[in-house]
Amino acid sequence: MAIVRLFALSAGLLGLIQGVPLPGKYPNGAQCLVGQSDIKIAWLNTQGARRTDLIEEWIAREQPDIFGVAELPPSARAFEARLARNYPYRQNCQERSYCSTEVFARDAPVSGVALARGDAENRKTLSGAAMKFRQQSNSNVWHLVALHLSRPTTPAAQSRELHEFEARLGADANTIVIGDFNLTPRMPLLTDFAARNELRVTLAGRPTWPASSTGPLQGGLWQIDQILVGRNWSVRTLHVSPWVGSDHRGFSATLCRTQ
């Protein structure tokens, strides 16, 4: 029994070490292209949020071009309707029914893709939504993907979900992936996934979870909400949100094209 307790303690300490925020940011790639407009993307897992007015105020301040969200409950339909006034294009993770992982965009995408099944809880399986957009300067398209992985009950489950994403859609140099990975930047599942797909993980410099859903009392421990970019993108800035009523803090990122 003592050995079991020691093993559990060691595993817990390892998890904490892997979750400690790293200083600075991973390299963001080449210099930005001249003459290309930046794009601003925001992300938030809304789990536990009771005050959507705080989320709306944050979005109004940040003015992102694209907003990705996870665990948006069915009761938030009024919030979605208000959001749709400024973000008329949307894609969720199911083709024909409600799903709580969604992407909202100001500009019309070329197409949208529902990556996987999901529900209002979205904790036991992969859910994701993607949009393709046309580049300003040529006919090439780029992908914005929002993912929500299951809780890390076993590494095998999350590994299957990442491979499912790769089989269904995959990533290339023009891809941006945002979402709640339930993985920190130190964890091999995330770093290996990024390496396989030639994506770069950007460090926020602050944790995104857990935060209190009843008040801004807890600073968080881990960055589990991520933005990963292909080599044709560079992250200029990444800011973790203030407390907006969720048990997560979101982020807003400004990106530019490098090719």
Side-chain angles (χ1 to χ4, degrees):
M1 185 61 68
I3 294 175
V4 173
R5 286 197 297 267
L6 179 61
F7 178 80
L9 177 61
S10 299
L13 288 174
L14 178 60
L16 286 173
I17 290 169
Q18 289 180 324
V20 172
L22 295 166
K25 295 180 179 178
Y26 289 145
N28 282 320
Q31 294 293 316
C32 299
L33 290 175
V34 176
Q36 290 283 316
S37 299
D38 288 349
I39 183 169
K40 195 168 189 179
I41 298 171
W43 165 264
L44 178 68
N45 182 320
T46 64
Q47 170 62 25
R50 297 179 180 87
R51 294 188 55 188
T52 56
D53 60 309
L54 296 176
I55 302 173
E56 292 180 68
E57 289 170 8
W58 175 57
I59 293 296
R61 287 194 304 270
E62 295 296 329
Q63 290 293 305
D65 302 292
I66 296 171
F67 177 45
V69 61
E71 298 200 60
L72 192 65
S75 59
R77 293 296 174 87
F79 164 69
E80 290 181 279
R82 292 191 297 272
L83 195 63
R85 295 170 190 166
N86 293 318
Y87 300 91
Y89 305 98
R90 57 196 285 191
Q91 176 66 54
N92 73 14
C93 55
Q94 294 202 58
E95 293 288 355
R96 296 182 178 84
S97 59
Y98 176 77
C99 181
S100 63
T101 299
E102 297 191 79
V103 177
F104 296 83
R106 290 189 192 278
D107 298 328
V110 175
S111 62
V113 179
L115 290 179
R117 294 186 60 80
D119 54 35
E121 293 298 324
N122 270 350
R123 297 173 184 169
K124 297 180 180 179
T125 185
L126 170 73
S127 64
M131 286 181 171
K132 292 182 180 180
F133 295 90
R134 188 82 60 190
Q135 282 183 221
Q136 296 175 345
S137 57
N138 54 49
S139 60
N140 293 333
V141 297
W142 60 274
H143 298 78
L144 185 284
V145 184
L147 295 180
H148 186 197
L149 270 64
S150 64
R151 288 180 171 180
T153 51
T154 66
Q158 290 180 309
S159 179
R160 285 195 299 271
E161 291 165 12
L162 290 172
H163 282 94
E164 179 183 351
F165 159 73
E166 291 170 291
R168 293 283 301 279
L169 184 62
D172 59 23
N174 290 310
T175 302
I176 301 168
V177 184
I178 58 175
D180 174 5
F181 280 74
N182 277 309
L183 296 167
T184 77
R186 286 180 181 267
M187 291 182 173
L189 271 179
L190 183 61
T191 56
D192 290 349
F193 166 76
R196 285 197 307 272
N197 294 279
E198 298 184 356
L199 299 170
R200 297 186 305 277
V201 181
T202 303
L203 297 179
R206 288 185 60 192
T208 62
W209 185 89
S212 170
S213 60
T214 57
L217 301 176
Q218 193 168 347
L221 294 172
W222 301 286
Q223 179 189 334
I224 63 173
D225 299 272
Q226 314 291 351
I227 178 167
L228 294 79
V229 299
R231 67 176 180 273
N232 289 349
W233 290 100
S234 182
V235 179
R236 287 186 186 269
T237 63
L238 178 63
H239 300 294
V240 174
S241 76
W243 179 79
V244 290
S246 170
D247 69 353
H248 287 245
R249 293 178 187 267
F251 62 74
S252 63
T254 302
L255 298 89
C256 67
R257 296 284 306 183
T258 61
Q259 290 188 41

